[in-house]
Amino acid sequence: LIKPRYRDRFESHYGANSSQYKWLIRDLEAVNRSETPMIIVFTHRPMWHSSSHHPSCSSGGDWYGCEFRSLYSKAFEKFKVNFILGGHAHHYQRSKPMIQGKPVDRNAPRYIICGTGGFKLDHPFNQQRNPDFVAFRQSIQYGYCQVRFINNTHVLWQHVGVSNSPSEILDEAVISLV
C-alpha cells in the first residue's frame, strides 16, 4: 500500500495534471517522425524491472515505477517511442517489445535498465525465473550500454560486460522503428 502523502507527491510532480507530464505529451506530439524517426526516452527509475532488491509495485520497493508505467507507458505506446532507458536498479535488463504490459510479437516500446555500474549493490537474480516480458537480464558483472545508429530506421543496442578481460558483449539486439 502506498502512503497517501507519497501518492500525492507523485501526482503533483508526475501525474496526468503535472507540468512534467503535460510537457512530455506536448514534446511527443511535436515530433516530426520524418526528421526524427526514433524516439528514445531516458528516466531515472525503471518502469518495468524484475529485481528483488527494489520489488516493483510495493511499499518500500519501487512503487514509483509502477505508478509511472500505468500512465506513461500508454503515452509511449501512442507516440511510438522506440525504447525507454532507465537506471536506479543496479542490474541490466532488456524487455521484449511490450504493449499494455504484455510482450508482443511486433514492434513496440522496449524498456531497458542499464544500471550495472553498481551491480554489487543489488542481489543477483534467480536466472531460472525470468518474467515473460524479459528478453535478457544480468546482475553478475559490471557493465555499460551502448547504442549505434545503423540507419534512420534501425539501431544496434548492446550491453557490454567489463568484469572479465577482455570485455564482452553480453546482450545485443537490433531495434527498429515502432
Side-chain angles (χ1 to χ4, degrees):
L1 182 64
I2 300 168
K3 295 178 182 174
R5 68 178 177 184
Y6 294 128
R7 185 174 303 282
D8 290 346
R9 185 184 321 163
F10 177 87
E11 286 299 324
S12 67
H13 290 273
Y14 308 108
N17 292 316
S18 68
S19 57
Q20 175 83 21
Y21 184 75
K22 290 175 183 177
W23 165 83
L24 176 69
I25 297 303
R26 281 191 312 271
D27 201 52
L28 291 172
E29 286 174 337
V31 172
N32 178 340
R33 291 310 277 263
S34 62
E35 294 176 7
T36 309
M38 288 220 159
I39 300 175
I40 303 168
V41 171
F42 294 87
T43 67
H44 173 74
R45 291 191 182 257
M47 295 165 93
W48 300 94
H49 74 87
S50 57
S51 168
S52 61
H53 184 70
H54 297 290
S56 216
C57 302
S58 65
S59 181
D62 196 4
W63 60 268
Y64 261 93
C66 191
E67 292 292 312
F68 269 116
R69 73 183 180 209
S70 69
L71 177 64
Y72 285 70
S73 63
K74 293 173 190 164
F76 297 153
E77 293 163 13
K78 177 181 177 182
F79 293 104
K80 300 182 186 223
V81 172
N82 297 88
F83 57 95
I84 299 88
L85 180 61
H88 187 70
H90 299 278
H91 64 275
Y92 171 77
Q93 177 180 290
R94 178 177 52 85
S95 79
K96 297 172 182 172
M98 291 174 46
I99 297 288
Q100 297 177 359
K102 307 279 187 221
V104 294
D105 290 331
R106 65 183 200 276
N107 241 352
R110 297 170 198 239
Y111 296 83
I112 300 171
I113 301 165
C114 192
T116 50
F119 91 94
K120 287 197 174 189
L121 298 172
D122 277 356
H123 310 290
F125 293 118
N126 176 343
Q127 294 295 341
Q128 307 304 315
R129 296 170 52 188
N130 272 353
D132 289 345
F133 69 88
V134 173
F136 184 86
R137 67 182 184 166
Q138 78 89 9
S139 64
I140 56 173
Q141 65 173 293
Y142 291 108
Y144 65 90
C145 298
Q146 61 187 11
V147 62
R148 293 188 179 147
F149 287 82
I150 299 169
N151 55 37
N152 284 345
T153 60
H154 293 81
V155 298
L156 176 63
W157 175 266
Q158 295 177 320
H159 173 61
V160 181
V162 297
S163 293
N164 302 318
S165 183
S167 60
E168 59 184 321
I169 296 171
L170 301 176
D171 180 44
E172 115 180 324
V174 174
I175 299 175
S176 59
L177 293 178
V178 174

